[in-house]
Amino acid sequence: MNIAIFASGGGSNLRAILNAILQKKLSGRICLVVSNNSKAGALEIARSHQIPAYHRSQLQYPSEDTFAAELLKLLEEHDVELVVLAGYMKKVPSMIVQRYRNRILNIHPALLPSFGGKGMYGARVHEAVIRNGAKVSGATVHIVDDEYDHGPIVLQKRVEVVHDDTPETLAAKVLKIEHEIYPQAIKAFVEGRVKIEGRTVVIEPGT
Ligand code: GRF
């Protein structure tokens, strides 16, 4: 399955997915990496693995539609079948969400629907978890729809929040979980084991 990665930052999730493929734990193929940030580490990782890497930002285009048309052109040129947002901080244009309905994934560093939504990303998420005295947090892989962090939940894994956790220590524990569950969720899609009924996602057991 041809996978496109959208990323904005260092690309640790991209690296985890790439490693799963290189270790033959995941039989997909990353055929395209796009970032809104020309300095994103994710673009460097792509280039070092000879993966087509593009800087495309809404700021370069006169409208969301022209930006969306450019993204769509890239996705079609590379025969993309699954879009994976890996630390991507921008909203996916609705034209893309429609065309790739139920085929765009995102990972959020909390247990949705808690601690999600517009503006809830990075350290802000972990600060809110600690400020609210939550005893568990974790990571969520979900389908992308037209609202931030709102689509049907595909996979979650939790982590304990301990009394002396800081946003930094919690972020590190959650990021480790992200690197575990994202390849697992993508593997289920690649193997056709994901059934989506409304807002309920069922993953059939695999090997
Ligand atoms: C991290 O905060 C992660 O929780 C979220 O995006 C940020 C960067 O991810 N998914 P990455 O290291 O660029 O994959």
Side-chain angles (χ1 to χ4, degrees):
M1 183 175 278
N2 289 335
I3 300 166
I5 303 277
F6 287 11
S8 302
S12 73
N13 275 287
L14 163 59
R15 193 189 300 281
I17 296 162
L18 203 49
N19 286 343
I21 291 172
L22 296 173
Q23 291 159 15
K24 307 240 180 296
K25 293 178 186 160
L26 174 55
S27 63
R29 171 176 165 266
I30 298 178
C31 62
L32 171 66
V33 173
V34 178
S35 181
N36 61 297
N37 169 8
S38 60
K39 296 185 176 48
L43 291 176
E44 287 316 306
I45 293 171
R47 292 183 185 118
S48 68
H49 287 85
Q50 293 75 45
I51 297 170
Y54 297 84
H55 167 230
R56 291 291 182 276
S57 162
Q58 169 82 68
L59 304 176
Q60 299 166 310
Y61 295 84
S63 69
E64 178 179 309
D65 281 354
T66 47
F67 175 56
E70 170 61 17
L71 287 183
L72 213 43
K73 184 163 82 69
L74 282 178
L75 293 171
E76 288 169 352
E77 277 171 359
H78 292 274
D79 301 317
V80 170
E81 297 163 275
L82 182 68
V83 179
V84 169
L85 309 187
Y88 186 65
M89 298 297 157
K90 297 295 181 186
K91 202 150 183 322
V92 177
S94 55
M95 185 196 292
I96 308 282
V97 174
Q98 302 317 319
R99 179 71 67 86
Y100 286 85
R101 180 157 296 287
N102 290 342
R103 293 192 292 153
I104 308 177
L105 297 178
N106 184 41
I107 191 154
H108 182 74
L111 296 177
L112 294 176
S114 301
F115 304 111
K118 188 169 172 47
M120 285 301 276
Y121 56 83
R124 294 180 182 181
V125 174
H126 309 297
E127 284 159 7
V129 167
I130 290 170
R131 186 170 59 247
N132 284 274
K135 300 304 175 201
V136 289
S137 189
T140 302
V141 179
H142 66 93
I143 304 275
V144 171
D145 62 12
D146 289 307
E147 293 174 51
Y148 280 106
D149 304 328
H150 173 263
I153 290 169
V154 175
L155 200 53
Q156 293 185 300
K157 185 172 181 181
R158 72 169 184 221
V159 69
E160 303 304 313
V161 182
V162 295
H163 74 282
D164 58 354
D165 260 323
T166 64
E168 292 72 26
T169 58
L170 181 54
K173 290 194 283 191
V174 170
L175 194 58
K176 192 168 172 299
I177 301 274
E178 292 181 43
H179 297 163
E180 281 174 40
I181 67 172
Y182 225 171
Q184 286 170 14
I186 295 166
K187 182 173 165 50
F189 270 84
V190 167
E191 295 171 356
R193 290 188 283 112
V194 177
K195 300 289 169 260
I196 303 169
E197 289 123 17
R199 288 193 60 77
T200 304
V201 177
V202 174
I203 296 184
E204 291 165 355
T207 47

